[in-house]
Amino acid sequence: MNDKLQLPHLDYAALSPMLILFGVACIGVLVEGFVPRRVRHKVQLTLALLGLVAALVMVIRQSSTAVITAHTAVAVDGPGLFLSGAIIVLGIVSLLLIGERTLEPGGAFVAQAAITANTDRDREQALRAHGSTEVFPLTMFALGGMLLFCTANDLLTMFVALEVFSLPLYLLCALARRRRLLSQEAAMKYFLLGSFASAFFLFGIALVYGFAGQVDFKAIDTAVQASANDDILLYVGLAMLAIGLLFKAAAVPFHVWTPDVYQGAPTPITALMAACTKVAAFGGLLRLVYVGFKGTEWTIQPVLGTVAVITMIIGAILAVTQTDIKRLLAYSSIANAGYLLVGVLALNEQGLSSSMFYLVAYGFTVLAAFGVVTLVRDADGEATHLSRWAGLGRRSPLYASLFTFILLAFAGLPLTSGFTAKFGVFAAAIDGHQTWLVIAGVVSSAILAFPYLRVVVMMWLSEPGETTPAVSIPGAMTAAALVIGAVATLVLGVAPGALLEVTQNAGAFLR
């Protein structure tokens, strides 16, 4: 792939996927101002889906080239294109959940977020008003920022991309139609903690610049290997950069926002964050570790390895104690961040490819999981307390079977994508002489299987109670999201060869 490297310039074709998404987001803002409300939802949804499909087409067209463009700020290489394509595909599935309006009038989003929560006007709009359509341009801005984040070739571009996709997510978390105070609390926590993480990241950029005199990754790597400057600037700067990235990845001890935000945010937005944000966060971390700071691997591995072990163990143990399905999935996401760190820290080609495979496999599975959560509801909205899921297998055996399959995939059962993904990152870690991480991962997986199996037993072996909710019939878009997520989880477990080949052929990062 490196033989096709072009001289740095502004290559609009290479930048076209993110430019399309940003353009669609801007058009969506205009739609909010000029299109009548009665048709606005259909226009916004159609526009967003067409934009994502067009961006995916451009990613596929660029798959045979590699270029550093925008004056060395963006590297459109194999891993960057693969992760961009993954974000777009997962974004399409997320958008199907976001666009659903049949489960309750107006959908999952409040019509006017400025109305004070729990007032008469708020209760009235929850029953009658159309849902907010601003979610579509906000989602497109977030996805465009994620694409830029995965392909950023210097620290300043990475910081700008981080803010571009973070700010819309802060807003989206506060737009839940039901339980608005919980939603607003989640958004405030996410915003405040995210601001601190961004500040650490920016301060880290300043310290690394003080060490290397540059912010692009190639210059930083050269300085790491040859600079006579004080290493303290390098290592403190790298630690601060890692804090910003590990916050987005939901790794311990930077995970405290995750359960509250996952629980309080509208479930479609939770699904978007669990799938797409994790791809973006680890895409940035992979580029940081494999390109900019490759010469510091003897320092990175023990420190981030310790973070990975703590993340896996804490995520698994705290998942056992949860009584809310969304919080359980949040701690599952935390543990999975630890498994992904195992692949990242292999620091070899197998670690890179297996991490990318894991991100895609986990993304489809978690989207299907939250899709099922949106269906289990009563008159007050989604029923997320685990006690409400008792006997669900007798009320709705089809969707209980689907959720059982998803939980078994999370647990790493053979013939599911979860097994293939974990096997890949663990094998890469062993090949990279990180066996201690694999041992911790296996122990964590065994612990994490308990809360999954507890939910399965509760659904199938408990009698339905008076408070056991019904499972709503999904609309076409939710049904499509569930089918896509379930089929991908099965196919990537039974026949993962095609995607594994794509990840292996994605090549190396441009330097």
Side-chain angles (χ1 to χ4, degrees):
M1 181 170 292
N2 289 336
D3 59 341
K4 299 181 181 179
L5 177 61
Q6 304 172 22
L7 292 176
H9 67 290
L10 196 58
D11 189 330
Y12 288 105
L15 297 173
S16 58
M18 65 189 75
L19 292 178
I20 289 172
L21 296 190
F22 287 135
V24 169
C26 293
I27 295 173
V29 173
L30 296 177
V31 169
E32 287 298 312
F34 296 102
V35 174
R37 180 178 289 275
R38 65 179 182 277
V39 296
R40 197 180 297 164
H41 173 262
K42 292 182 179 179
V43 173
Q44 290 280 33
L45 178 60
T46 303
L47 180 66
L49 287 174
L50 289 177
L52 286 170
V53 171
L56 181 61
V57 170
M58 295 308 298
V59 167
I60 295 173
R61 289 190 61 183
Q62 293 291 319
S63 59
S64 60
T65 62
V67 58
I68 295 178
T69 185
H71 304 289
T72 73
V74 177
V76 182
D77 48 20
L81 285 169
F82 178 86
L83 294 170
S84 295
I87 290 171
I88 292 170
V89 173
L90 296 173
I92 291 173
V93 181
S94 301
L95 206 63
L96 295 176
L97 297 176
I98 292 171
E100 183 63 75
R101 290 295 186 269
T102 61
L103 295 176
E104 65 176 312
F109 301 97
V110 68
Q112 294 180 307
I115 294 178
T116 305
N118 292 344
T119 61
D120 291 337
R121 286 188 64 198
D122 182 44
R123 285 185 282 271
E124 181 180 352
Q125 75 164 348
L127 295 174
R128 299 180 183 177
H130 296 288
S132 170
T133 52
E134 293 92 340
V135 296
F136 295 104
L138 287 173
T139 300
M140 299 306 288
F141 275 122
L143 292 174
M146 293 176 193
L147 263 60
L148 180 59
F149 193 75
C150 288
T151 55
N153 196 46
D154 65 57
L155 292 174
L156 282 180
T157 303
M158 185 171 281
F159 174 75
V160 171
L162 177 67
E163 295 307 297
V164 169
F165 82 77
S166 295
L167 292 174
L169 290 176
Y170 300 150
L171 295 174
L172 289 168
C173 289
L175 298 181
R177 176 177 291 270
R178 309 277 185 170
R179 303 171 183 170
R180 289 196 57 211
L181 286 177
L182 188 64
S183 176
Q184 292 171 358
E185 178 188 351
M188 183 59 70
K189 289 180 179 178
Y190 194 21
F191 170 69
L192 291 176
L193 294 175
S195 299
F196 281 115
S198 296
F200 275 106
F201 192 87
L202 191 59
F203 198 13
I205 293 175
L207 293 177
V208 172
Y209 179 77
F211 171 80
Q214 299 285 339
V215 292
D216 67 278
F217 290 140
K218 183 177 181 179
I220 292 171
D221 183 54
T222 302
V224 167
Q225 300 181 38
S227 177
N229 293 335
D230 191 353
D231 287 346
I232 189 67
L233 289 175
L234 171 66
Y235 293 127
V236 175
L238 178 57
M240 290 188 171
L241 293 174
I243 289 174
L245 292 176
L246 293 175
F247 173 86
K248 285 298 178 186
V252 177
F254 315 107
H255 70 291
V256 292
W257 62 274
T258 313
D260 292 335
V261 174
Y262 275 37
Q263 183 183 23
T267 301
I269 300 304
T270 304
L272 173 71
M273 291 191 296
C276 298
T277 303
K278 196 168 290 291
V279 175
F282 275 97
L285 185 62
L286 284 167
R287 192 171 294 276
L288 200 73
V289 172
Y290 280 72
V291 181
F293 296 89
K294 187 172 178 61
T296 64
E297 60 182 85
W298 295 109
T299 303
I300 289 176
Q301 280 182 319
V303 175
L304 289 186
T306 303
V307 171
V309 171
I310 296 173
T311 300
M312 290 184 288
I313 298 299
I314 295 297
I317 291 175
L318 293 182
V320 175
T321 66
Q322 300 308 304
T323 58
D324 184 276
I325 191 66
K326 292 177 74 174
R327 293 183 72 88
L328 191 156
L329 292 175
Y331 281 104
S332 169
S333 175
I334 292 168
N336 277 278
Y339 303 140
L340 278 160
L341 281 173
V342 173
V344 171
L345 293 174
L347 294 180
N348 52 35
E349 290 186 7
Q350 188 180 358
L352 174 60
S353 61
S354 63
S355 296
M356 292 192 294
F357 180 90
Y358 198 116
L359 288 167
V360 174
Y362 176 77
F364 280 115
T365 305
V366 79
L367 285 171
F370 282 109
V372 174
V373 171
T374 64
L375 301 179
V376 183
R377 56 196 314 117
D378 55 21
D380 295 325
E382 295 165 358
T384 59
H385 197 280
L386 287 181
S387 63
R388 307 288 303 281
W389 289 56
L392 197 66
R394 305 191 183 190
R395 290 279 180 90
S396 182
L398 175 62
Y399 294 106
S401 298
L402 174 59
F403 199 66
T404 298
F405 173 67
I406 292 167
L407 291 177
L408 293 178
F410 281 140
L413 190 75
L415 302 182
T416 66
S417 61
F419 174 81
T420 310
K422 285 183 180 178
F423 183 85
V425 295
F426 289 168
I430 291 175
D431 190 54
H433 309 291
Q434 301 297 310
T435 307
W436 66 291
L437 296 178
V438 177
I439 295 173
V442 172
V443 173
S444 168
S445 298
I447 298 172
L448 196 55
F450 175 79
Y452 297 146
L453 295 177
R454 183 181 63 174
V455 176
V456 173
V457 170
M458 186 177 297
M459 288 192 300
W460 291 103
L461 300 182
S462 300
E463 292 291 336
E466 294 181 359
T467 60
T468 301
V471 177
S472 301
I473 298 174
M477 289 186 288
T478 298
L482 289 174
V483 169
I484 293 170
V487 170
T489 300
L490 179 62
V491 170
L492 295 180
V494 176
L499 184 59
L500 287 172
E501 184 178 358
V502 171
T503 59
Q504 291 166 0
N505 293 336
F509 287 108
L510 290 183
R511 300 169 63 83

